[in-house]
Amino acid sequence: MPNNDAGRKPTELLQLLGDEFIETASNAVEEAGEPSYRVDQLRRWLYERTPRSFKDMEGLPLSLREHLDKIFVLHPLDHDLEQVSEDGTRKFLWKQGRDGGRIESVLIPDGDRTTYCISTQSGCPVKCTFCATGYGGFSGNLSAAEIIDQVVQIRSLSQQAPTNLVFMGMGEPLLNFDDLLRSLSILTDPRQLGIGARRITVSTVGIPERIRQLSQAFPQVKLALSIHAADPALRDELVPLNLKYPLDAVLDAVREHCANTGKKVTFEYVILPGVNDSREAANALTKKVRGIPASINLIGFNPFEEAPYSKPELRSMIAFRDSIQRNYPGDVTIRRSRGEDIQGACGQLSLKNSPAS
Ligand code: SAH
Ligand code: SF4
């Protein structure tokens, strides 16, 4: 944390939208008596190279680096720990300042693709019955700067730029909506991180009005809906937010999203043996999503200590997939689990599983 400059609160640089950054950086450069081309140098350092500190910004005069260090915060998250899976998946643990919560993100290499899985909350208040993040409790929303900092720090620590970004880490993105929208703007602005919106996926259990707002603000961003059950009573049990936002209302918003954006969605379905993987459940699912341009992604439940479910056999997942596929025109895929040995797989992101906690 830089020193305070005459009582002035340091500004989080990664929190700023494109125009805000240009204005704030221009003022800082002027205050330091430097020419305006320094703004673009600072911009490139910040979004393209990601130094650990202002001191590392070679090419900027030392006096300017010292001034920036006094008035700005560069990284709101402290990098705490990294674990590498035998399949190459890397899990990063961060701390929010000294007393703040802990957050995890995951890098998943897969051939030409490098996917970053990013968190929007520390823990999650939704508390789905099959998700380790929900069991770990909820410490709060992340700021847009903390969301962006995961991306820039993973890139600088791994030296592997992301080809894809998925908001599938800790938390429910649509419950941290303002910071989600702000971070999407910073991620996609060509002056900032410049990541194509089509390469970004937001995964949600579904809040109708926010799905509508998201598809208006970022029509190219992909939507994944965590559906898990078509039966209302079962979905109420598995995904408690269904009590407030029932699936039928969520699916109306998803239909509008598809109609307005011309894009398909992905339905995610965690297979919980003996709970939601019967032939009747498959039929109910296909009936419920009929007519929506989508693919269905089946995810084998990843076990963790407190969870009351078992891990599905691959052959029962294949049988469930086949039951769906008989009545469903879209793609139905089974997601390969990655990073299980370091608790970096879906639903295993929990502060309880981290050796440092
Ligand atoms: N809150 C958002 C995004 C984070 S969860 C959402 O729920 O969509 C990302 C995905 O991991 C979701 O599809 C979620 O259902 C799945 N998931 C959660 N716990 C899991 C577990 N134990 N095993 C497998 N997948 C899980
Ligand atoms: Fe939260 Fe998603 Fe986990 Fe449910 S599955 S508890 S919404 S992170």
Short mmCIF file of all heavy atoms in Angstrom, two decimals, residues 124 128 130-132 167-173 203-205 224 226 228 268 270 299-304 335 346-348, ligand 1:
data_model
loop_
_atom_site.label_atom_id
_atom_site.label_comp_id
_atom_site.label_asym_id
_atom_site.label_seq_id
_atom_site.Cartn_x
_atom_site.Cartn_y
_atom_site.Cartn_z
N CYS A 124 -19.97 -17.32 -1.18
CA CYS A 124 -21.20 -17.09 -1.95
C CYS A 124 -22.40 -17.18 -1.04
O CYS A 124 -22.52 -18.12 -0.26
CB CYS A 124 -21.32 -18.12 -3.08
SG CYS A 124 -22.79 -17.82 -4.11
N CYS A 128 -25.90 -23.11 -2.64
CA CYS A 128 -26.40 -24.31 -3.31
C CYS A 128 -25.88 -25.53 -2.53
O CYS A 128 -24.76 -25.51 -2.03
CB CYS A 128 -25.91 -24.36 -4.75
SG CYS A 128 -26.49 -22.95 -5.72
N PHE A 130 -24.80 -28.35 -3.30
CA PHE A 130 -23.74 -29.21 -3.86
C PHE A 130 -22.44 -28.43 -4.08
O PHE A 130 -21.53 -28.92 -4.73
CB PHE A 130 -24.21 -29.77 -5.22
CG PHE A 130 -24.73 -28.69 -6.11
CD1 PHE A 130 -23.86 -27.94 -6.87
CD2 PHE A 130 -26.09 -28.37 -6.13
CE1 PHE A 130 -24.32 -26.90 -7.64
CE2 PHE A 130 -26.55 -27.31 -6.90
CZ PHE A 130 -25.66 -26.58 -7.66
N CYS A 131 -22.36 -27.20 -3.58
CA CYS A 131 -21.23 -26.32 -3.94
C CYS A 131 -20.40 -25.96 -2.71
O CYS A 131 -20.92 -25.43 -1.73
CB CYS A 131 -21.78 -25.06 -4.60
SG CYS A 131 -20.48 -23.84 -4.92
N ALA A 132 -19.10 -26.27 -2.81
CA ALA A 132 -18.20 -26.02 -1.68
C ALA A 132 -18.12 -24.53 -1.35
O ALA A 132 -18.00 -24.15 -0.19
CB ALA A 132 -16.81 -26.55 -2.01
N PHE A 167 -16.68 -16.41 -15.73
CA PHE A 167 -17.06 -15.99 -14.38
C PHE A 167 -17.73 -17.20 -13.72
O PHE A 167 -18.94 -17.27 -13.60
CB PHE A 167 -17.99 -14.77 -14.42
CG PHE A 167 -17.27 -13.49 -14.72
CD1 PHE A 167 -17.02 -13.10 -16.03
CD2 PHE A 167 -16.80 -12.67 -13.70
CE1 PHE A 167 -16.35 -11.91 -16.32
CE2 PHE A 167 -16.13 -11.48 -13.98
CZ PHE A 167 -15.90 -11.12 -15.28
N MET A 168 -16.88 -18.17 -13.35
CA MET A 168 -17.37 -19.42 -12.76
C MET A 168 -16.57 -19.76 -11.51
O MET A 168 -16.54 -20.91 -11.09
CB MET A 168 -17.23 -20.58 -13.74
CG MET A 168 -18.12 -20.48 -14.96
SD MET A 168 -18.05 -21.97 -15.94
CE MET A 168 -19.00 -21.47 -17.38
N GLY A 169 -15.90 -18.77 -10.96
CA GLY A 169 -15.17 -19.01 -9.71
C GLY A 169 -16.11 -18.85 -8.53
O GLY A 169 -17.28 -19.23 -8.60
N MET A 170 -15.60 -18.24 -7.48
CA MET A 170 -16.46 -18.07 -6.29
C MET A 170 -17.53 -17.02 -6.55
O MET A 170 -17.24 -15.96 -7.13
CB MET A 170 -15.61 -17.55 -5.14
CG MET A 170 -14.67 -18.56 -4.61
SD MET A 170 -13.82 -17.79 -3.24
CE MET A 170 -13.48 -19.23 -2.29
N GLY A 171 -18.73 -17.28 -6.05
CA GLY A 171 -19.76 -16.25 -6.01
C GLY A 171 -20.73 -16.27 -7.17
O GLY A 171 -20.53 -16.94 -8.18
N GLU A 172 -21.81 -15.51 -6.97
CA GLU A 172 -22.85 -15.39 -7.98
C GLU A 172 -22.70 -14.02 -8.64
O GLU A 172 -23.01 -12.99 -8.02
CB GLU A 172 -24.23 -15.56 -7.29
CG GLU A 172 -25.42 -15.18 -8.12
CD GLU A 172 -25.40 -15.75 -9.54
OE1 GLU A 172 -25.25 -16.97 -9.71
OE2 GLU A 172 -25.53 -14.94 -10.50
N PRO A 173 -22.21 -13.98 -9.89
CA PRO A 173 -21.89 -12.69 -10.53
C PRO A 173 -23.05 -11.70 -10.55
O PRO A 173 -22.85 -10.51 -10.36
CB PRO A 173 -21.51 -13.09 -11.96
CG PRO A 173 -21.19 -14.53 -11.92
CD PRO A 173 -21.91 -15.13 -10.75
N SER A 203 -21.55 -17.04 -15.80
CA SER A 203 -22.37 -18.17 -15.35
C SER A 203 -23.20 -17.71 -14.15
O SER A 203 -22.69 -17.09 -13.22
CB SER A 203 -21.46 -19.32 -14.95
OG SER A 203 -22.21 -20.37 -14.38
N THR A 204 -24.49 -18.05 -14.19
CA THR A 204 -25.40 -17.58 -13.12
C THR A 204 -26.46 -18.62 -12.81
O THR A 204 -26.81 -19.43 -13.67
CB THR A 204 -26.08 -16.25 -13.55
OG1 THR A 204 -27.03 -15.88 -12.53
CG2 THR A 204 -26.83 -16.39 -14.87
N VAL A 205 -27.00 -18.55 -11.58
CA VAL A 205 -28.17 -19.38 -11.27
C VAL A 205 -29.45 -18.67 -11.73
O VAL A 205 -30.51 -19.27 -11.74
CB VAL A 205 -28.25 -19.74 -9.77
CG1 VAL A 205 -27.11 -20.65 -9.37
CG2 VAL A 205 -28.29 -18.52 -8.88
N ALA A 224 -24.22 -18.44 -19.37
CA ALA A 224 -24.40 -19.85 -18.97
C ALA A 224 -25.38 -19.86 -17.81
O ALA A 224 -25.22 -19.08 -16.85
CB ALA A 224 -23.06 -20.45 -18.55
N SER A 226 -26.96 -21.98 -14.78
CA SER A 226 -26.82 -23.18 -13.96
C SER A 226 -28.22 -23.66 -13.62
O SER A 226 -28.89 -23.09 -12.76
CB SER A 226 -26.03 -22.84 -12.69
OG SER A 226 -24.71 -22.54 -13.03
N HIS A 228 -29.57 -27.30 -13.32
CA HIS A 228 -29.47 -28.40 -12.34
C HIS A 228 -30.73 -29.21 -12.08
O HIS A 228 -30.64 -30.35 -11.65
CB HIS A 228 -28.93 -27.92 -10.98
CG HIS A 228 -27.69 -27.11 -11.07
ND1 HIS A 228 -26.62 -27.48 -11.83
CD2 HIS A 228 -27.36 -25.91 -10.52
CE1 HIS A 228 -25.67 -26.55 -11.73
NE2 HIS A 228 -26.10 -25.60 -10.95
N GLU A 268 -25.94 -25.38 -17.66
CA GLU A 268 -25.04 -26.24 -16.89
C GLU A 268 -25.89 -27.09 -15.94
O GLU A 268 -26.83 -26.58 -15.31
CB GLU A 268 -24.06 -25.39 -16.08
CG GLU A 268 -23.12 -24.58 -16.94
CD GLU A 268 -22.42 -23.51 -16.12
OE1 GLU A 268 -23.06 -22.49 -15.81
OE2 GLU A 268 -21.24 -23.70 -15.79
N VAL A 270 -25.28 -29.99 -12.97
CA VAL A 270 -24.40 -30.84 -12.15
C VAL A 270 -25.13 -32.15 -11.87
O VAL A 270 -26.26 -32.13 -11.37
CB VAL A 270 -24.04 -30.15 -10.82
CG1 VAL A 270 -23.28 -31.11 -9.90
CG2 VAL A 270 -23.22 -28.90 -11.06
N ILE A 299 -22.06 -31.71 -15.80
CA ILE A 299 -20.86 -31.65 -14.97
C ILE A 299 -20.99 -32.71 -13.88
O ILE A 299 -21.97 -32.70 -13.13
CB ILE A 299 -20.72 -30.27 -14.29
CG1 ILE A 299 -20.93 -29.13 -15.29
CG2 ILE A 299 -19.39 -30.14 -13.57
CD1 ILE A 299 -21.16 -27.77 -14.63
N GLY A 300 -20.03 -33.62 -13.82
CA GLY A 300 -20.07 -34.62 -12.75
C GLY A 300 -19.85 -33.92 -11.42
O GLY A 300 -18.96 -33.07 -11.31
N PHE A 301 -20.67 -34.24 -10.44
CA PHE A 301 -20.50 -33.63 -9.12
C PHE A 301 -19.08 -33.88 -8.61
O PHE A 301 -18.61 -35.01 -8.58
CB PHE A 301 -21.53 -34.21 -8.14
CG PHE A 301 -21.27 -33.84 -6.71
CD1 PHE A 301 -21.41 -32.53 -6.29
CD2 PHE A 301 -20.85 -34.79 -5.79
CE1 PHE A 301 -21.13 -32.17 -4.98
CE2 PHE A 301 -20.58 -34.45 -4.47
CZ PHE A 301 -20.72 -33.13 -4.07
N ASN A 302 -18.40 -32.81 -8.20
CA ASN A 302 -17.07 -32.94 -7.60
C ASN A 302 -17.24 -32.97 -6.09
O ASN A 302 -17.67 -31.98 -5.50
CB ASN A 302 -16.19 -31.74 -7.98
CG ASN A 302 -15.73 -31.82 -9.41
OD1 ASN A 302 -15.27 -32.87 -9.85
ND2 ASN A 302 -15.86 -30.73 -10.14
N PRO A 303 -16.88 -34.08 -5.47
CA PRO A 303 -17.16 -34.22 -4.03
C PRO A 303 -16.27 -33.33 -3.16
O PRO A 303 -15.17 -32.97 -3.55
CB PRO A 303 -16.84 -35.70 -3.75
CG PRO A 303 -16.62 -36.34 -5.06
CD PRO A 303 -16.26 -35.27 -6.03
N PHE A 304 -16.77 -32.99 -2.00
CA PHE A 304 -15.99 -32.33 -0.95
C PHE A 304 -16.57 -32.80 0.37
O PHE A 304 -17.66 -33.40 0.41
CB PHE A 304 -16.03 -30.79 -1.11
CG PHE A 304 -17.41 -30.20 -1.14
CD1 PHE A 304 -18.01 -29.69 -0.01
CD2 PHE A 304 -18.13 -30.17 -2.35
CE1 PHE A 304 -19.29 -29.15 -0.07
CE2 PHE A 304 -19.41 -29.64 -2.40
CZ PHE A 304 -19.99 -29.13 -1.25
N ARG A 335 -18.69 -32.33 -19.21
CA ARG A 335 -17.50 -31.51 -18.97
C ARG A 335 -16.42 -32.33 -18.28
O ARG A 335 -16.67 -33.01 -17.29
CB ARG A 335 -17.84 -30.30 -18.10
CG ARG A 335 -16.66 -29.34 -18.01
CD ARG A 335 -16.88 -28.25 -17.00
NE ARG A 335 -17.94 -27.34 -17.36
CZ ARG A 335 -18.38 -26.38 -16.54
NH1 ARG A 335 -17.86 -26.24 -15.34
NH2 ARG A 335 -19.35 -25.59 -16.92
N CYS A 346 -14.73 -27.36 -10.63
CA CYS A 346 -16.00 -26.67 -10.38
C CYS A 346 -16.53 -26.99 -9.01
O CYS A 346 -16.63 -28.15 -8.64
CB CYS A 346 -17.06 -27.15 -11.35
SG CYS A 346 -16.83 -26.56 -12.97
N GLY A 347 -16.95 -25.98 -8.31
CA GLY A 347 -17.61 -26.20 -7.03
C GLY A 347 -16.68 -26.62 -5.91
O GLY A 347 -17.11 -26.85 -4.79
N GLN A 348 -15.38 -26.68 -6.21
CA GLN A 348 -14.46 -27.06 -5.14
C GLN A 348 -13.73 -25.85 -4.58
O GLN A 348 -12.86 -25.97 -3.74
CB GLN A 348 -13.43 -28.07 -5.65
CG GLN A 348 -14.05 -29.44 -5.90
CD GLN A 348 -13.00 -30.46 -6.25
OE1 GLN A 348 -12.03 -30.16 -6.93
NE2 GLN A 348 -13.18 -31.68 -5.78
N1 SAH B 1 -22.54 -18.84 -9.13
C1 SAH B 1 -22.43 -19.10 -10.50
C2 SAH B 1 -21.02 -19.24 -10.98
C3 SAH B 1 -20.07 -20.05 -10.13
S1 SAH B 1 -20.32 -21.78 -10.03
C4 SAH B 1 -23.24 -20.34 -10.87
O1 SAH B 1 -23.61 -21.07 -9.96
O2 SAH B 1 -23.49 -20.52 -12.05
C5 SAH B 1 -19.78 -22.40 -11.60
C6 SAH B 1 -20.34 -23.78 -11.93
O3 SAH B 1 -19.84 -24.81 -11.07
C7 SAH B 1 -21.85 -23.82 -11.82
O4 SAH B 1 -22.46 -24.39 -12.93
C8 SAH B 1 -22.03 -24.68 -10.61
O5 SAH B 1 -23.24 -25.27 -10.58
C9 SAH B 1 -20.89 -25.67 -10.72
N2 SAH B 1 -20.64 -26.38 -9.47
C10 SAH B 1 -20.82 -25.92 -8.22
N3 SAH B 1 -20.51 -26.88 -7.32
C11 SAH B 1 -20.14 -27.97 -8.01
C12 SAH B 1 -19.67 -29.28 -7.61
N4 SAH B 1 -19.51 -29.62 -6.33
N5 SAH B 1 -19.37 -30.14 -8.58
C13 SAH B 1 -19.47 -29.78 -9.89
N6 SAH B 1 -19.88 -28.57 -10.30
C14 SAH B 1 -20.22 -27.67 -9.38
#
